[in-house]
Amino acid sequence: MLNADRNCVEAPKMGKNYRTETILDALDMIFLKKCYLCEVDQIIEGVFEVDHFKPKAIYPELEYEWNNLYLCCETCNLSKADTDNLLDPCKDDVENMIFYTHDYEEGQRQYIPHFFVSNIDDENNTQLDNTINLLEKIHNNKKGKLSIRASLLRLTISTRRALMMDAYAEYRTALDTDDNVKRQQAINKLKSAVSKHSPFTMLMRYTAKKYHFDKQITDLFD
């Protein structure tokens, strides 16, 4: 979940259709063509859903309110449903309020994402608690169809992580062999893996920090 800037685009004119090309293009720019909750990227243009951050079932007056429209994948939209009172990535510093992990769990035999309160001063923040619970539900759901979607999401994230670790191995080999060309190629791959424009930025940055990539490579994070 990344901080987002709604001021990076001019608010489009709103009618009774919130899936116009103009609106979808604006949302793409704000959320970097990624789901605002899980950060999966939009491989095919226009297939993402438009989520009502304040659920329209609770706030019908906000159904066609521009500031209430967010870019969302189908899985997260289903998981969120009518959940209310969440952190707003367009207003709250979600990148620093939530601590992200992605570590191997022997019992699960795979890498599992988890989410925690970053600052002890925020421990009684209801919006933060609700957001973390939703992220856990999205990534680690064990019920019905959503459990299958969560499993596929974890597999996709783990594949992305493996590619980043391969790039780091290439970087270390290039250092050992004093191959500056391959070293730069590996650095470019690592920077791409943790870029805010890439999928699962915050989870990839957790791994990069865990292995101190950011201490070894200048300006790793954009």
Side-chain angles (χ1 to χ4, degrees):
M1 197 174 190
L2 288 176
N3 297 340
D5 180 14
R6 296 196 82 95
N7 295 320
C8 71
V9 297
E10 184 177 348
K13 293 181 179 179
M14 296 295 300
K16 294 299 181 181
N17 179 6
Y18 47 75
R19 283 195 61 88
T20 67
E21 183 176 352
T22 301
I23 290 172
L24 291 172
D25 285 347
L27 292 175
D28 276 348
M29 292 183 66
I30 294 168
F31 298 105
L32 307 178
K33 296 186 177 182
K34 298 194 292 183
C35 171
Y36 82 98
L37 287 168
C38 74
E39 286 194 78
V40 70
D41 61 344
Q42 182 173 210
I43 299 173
I44 303 174
E45 294 289 336
V47 300
F48 269 17
E49 298 184 353
V50 177
D51 176 53
H52 292 82
F53 183 73
K54 292 285 188 180
K56 60 184 179 181
I58 303 174
Y59 306 93
E61 71 278 10
L62 298 180
E63 182 174 2
Y64 300 102
E65 167 58 45
W66 160 244
N67 289 320
N68 195 42
L69 304 182
Y70 286 59
L71 198 65
C72 193
C73 72
E74 181 185 15
T75 297
C76 286
N77 212 2
L78 286 170
S79 298
K80 176 176 176 281
D82 293 334
T83 304
D84 192 18
N85 203 20
L86 299 170
L87 290 181
D88 185 346
C90 294
K91 297 178 181 178
D92 300 307
D93 187 10
V94 295
E95 293 179 19
N96 291 306
M97 295 178 74
I98 301 173
F99 181 67
Y100 303 73
T101 68
H102 188 228
D103 296 322
Y104 191 80
E105 294 187 7
E106 290 292 345
Q108 299 283 347
R109 296 186 178 180
Q110 63 179 168
Y111 286 89
I112 305 293
H114 287 298
F115 311 87
F116 305 91
V117 176
S118 290
N119 192 326
I120 192 171
D121 293 334
D122 291 327
E123 285 190 346
N124 294 318
N125 185 323
T126 301
Q127 289 179 314
L128 177 54
D129 290 341
N130 290 346
T131 304
I132 286 174
N133 288 337
L134 176 58
L135 291 173
E136 285 285 344
K137 177 182 178 182
I138 289 167
H139 291 81
N140 301 309
N141 202 310
K142 294 180 173 60
K143 295 182 180 180
K145 183 168 65 174
L146 287 177
S147 70
I148 299 173
R149 292 172 183 252
S151 178
L152 290 173
L153 178 60
R154 291 194 301 271
L155 177 60
T156 304
I157 293 170
S158 293
T159 300
R160 184 79 185 177
R161 180 191 184 280
L163 290 172
M164 181 174 69
M165 296 305 293
D166 287 346
Y168 181 65
E170 293 171 9
Y171 170 76
R172 295 300 309 176
T173 299
L175 284 180
D176 293 340
T177 58
D178 199 27
D179 189 328
N180 288 329
V181 173
K182 289 186 177 179
R183 172 179 167 275
Q184 189 58 53
Q185 289 173 342
I187 288 174
N188 291 342
K189 289 180 182 179
L190 287 168
K191 286 188 174 183
S192 176
V194 298
S195 170
K196 63 184 179 181
H197 296 276
S198 297
F200 319 119
T201 303
M202 295 308 296
L203 288 169
M204 295 304 104
R205 288 186 177 184
Y206 161 76
T207 299
K209 291 175 183 177
K210 179 180 179 180
Y211 293 100
H212 308 295
F213 298 172
D214 55 325
K215 304 298 183 184
Q216 302 170 56
I217 299 170
T218 304
D219 298 325
L220 179 63
F221 302 146
D222 56 6

